[in-house]
């Protein structure tokens, strides 16, 4: 049997359907992120996301059959976008290729700012909700592992190969990540400038000691 090649019109229609599907999925994910950032987990219902995205109920359920799947996908979308933004900011921040303590201090400043931005608070909404929502917890577990690996890769770029290859680097970055996350939670109810947080200078001193920078010429 001879199969006729698809006509140009048929290819165009198939491409158009594929593009519309991708566009509607992106609309839904952007809407879910906006709901999380502005209204928290409680305000990120499927109905609220559907209304903000301007899509039909059927279209939303076609992409995301459950709220847990929707919010886990939103977390992935958010983290992917945020990491690309951080990578771009890091490139600008390190354009003059600083070394030693100067690079460490800049890396810590950049790392700390990410804990003051909407994506962090959206993630906190999901992690807190996952404690009592087993479906969300299951959906987020795989994404959390993927995200940690992606964060580590971007962090290595920010710190640079010399520092990332230091013996204490892995312990330091894990310590900074968990410490910054804990300190940042205070800002949910305390209004003060994050740039002058006393922990910032402490993190820099600890980093210098753990990386043995104080003993370098």
């Amino acid at each position: 049997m001879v199969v006729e090649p698809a006509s140009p019109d048929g290819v165009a229609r198939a491409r158009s359907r594929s593009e519309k599907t991708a566009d509607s999925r992106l609309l839904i994910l952007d809407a879910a992120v906006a709901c999380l950032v502005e209204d928290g987990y409680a305000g990120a219902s499927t109905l609220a996301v559907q209304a903000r995205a301007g899509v039909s109920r059927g279209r939303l359920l076609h992409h995301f059959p459950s709220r847990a799947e929707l919010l886990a996908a939103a977390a992935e979308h958010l983290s992917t976008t945020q990491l690309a933004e951080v990578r771009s900011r890091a490139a600008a921040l390190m354009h003059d290729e600083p070394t030693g303590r100067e690079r460490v201090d800049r890396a810590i400043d950049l790392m700390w700012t990410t804990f003051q931005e909407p994506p962090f608070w959206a993630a906190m909404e999901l992690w807190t909700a996952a404690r009592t929502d087993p479906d969300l917890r299951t959906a987020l577990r795989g994404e959390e592992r993927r995200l940690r690996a992606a964060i580590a890769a971007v962090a290595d770029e920010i710190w640079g190969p010399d520092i990332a290859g230091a013996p204490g680097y892995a312990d330091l970055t894990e310590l900074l990540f968990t410490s910054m996350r804990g300190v940042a939670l205070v800002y949910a109810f305390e209004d003060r400038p994050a740039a002058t947080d006393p922990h910032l200078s402490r993190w820099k001193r600890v980093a210098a000691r753990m990386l043995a920078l104080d003993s370098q010429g």
Side-chain angles (χ1 to χ4, degrees):
M1 180 178 65
V2 177
V3 178
E4 294 292 337
S7 68
D9 286 346
V11 172
R13 283 195 296 272
R15 184 181 298 115
S16 178
R17 285 194 297 272
S18 177
E19 289 171 350
K20 287 180 180 177
T21 297
D23 288 346
S24 63
R25 189 177 192 277
L26 184 58
L27 276 174
I28 293 167
L29 290 176
D30 284 341
V33 169
C35 286
L36 280 170
V37 170
E38 295 177 19
D39 305 314
Y41 175 76
S45 66
T46 54
L47 289 176
V49 172
Q50 176 192 336
R52 185 182 284 265
V55 299
S56 68
R57 185 70 174 170
R59 175 61 65 179
L60 185 145
L61 294 176
H62 169 74
H63 289 293
F64 307 105
S66 71
R67 186 189 188 203
E69 291 175 83
L70 168 62
L71 294 181
E76 179 182 5
H77 175 59
L78 181 63
S79 61
T80 299
T81 303
Q82 174 71 355
L83 286 174
E85 168 64 19
V86 171
R87 182 178 274 115
S88 176
R89 284 155 56 186
L93 184 66
M94 304 296 188
H95 73 281
D96 56 344
E97 300 183 357
T99 59
R101 290 202 66 161
E102 178 63 24
R103 190 174 190 104
V104 167
D105 288 353
R106 291 190 199 181
I108 290 174
D109 285 337
L110 176 58
M111 190 175 177
W112 176 231
T113 63
T114 66
F115 287 89
Q116 311 303 318
E117 297 170 344
F120 169 73
W121 294 109
M124 287 299 97
E125 290 284 343
L126 291 176
W127 292 347
T128 302
R131 187 180 71 85
T132 55
D133 185 334
D135 291 336
L136 180 61
R137 185 164 61 248
T138 299
L140 286 176
R141 190 172 291 121
E143 170 55 22
E144 175 68 8
R145 287 193 292 268
R146 187 204 67 79
L147 177 58
R148 290 302 296 270
I151 289 173
V154 173
D156 289 350
E157 294 177 23
I158 295 171
W159 293 86
D162 289 342
I163 293 173
Y169 172 75
D171 288 341
L172 171 65
T173 51
E174 180 65 20
L175 177 65
L176 288 174
F177 184 84
T178 54
S179 179
M180 286 182 180
R181 181 168 58 190
V183 173
L185 290 175
V186 175
Y187 289 81
F189 54 85
E190 188 169 309
D191 185 18
R192 56 190 171 94
T196 59
D197 193 295
H199 287 85
L200 199 52
S201 59
R202 293 180 188 131
W203 289 322
K204 292 176 181 179
R205 290 195 299 271
V206 167
R209 286 198 296 271
M210 291 185 68
L211 297 171
L213 296 178
D214 288 334
S215 62
Q216 296 178 10

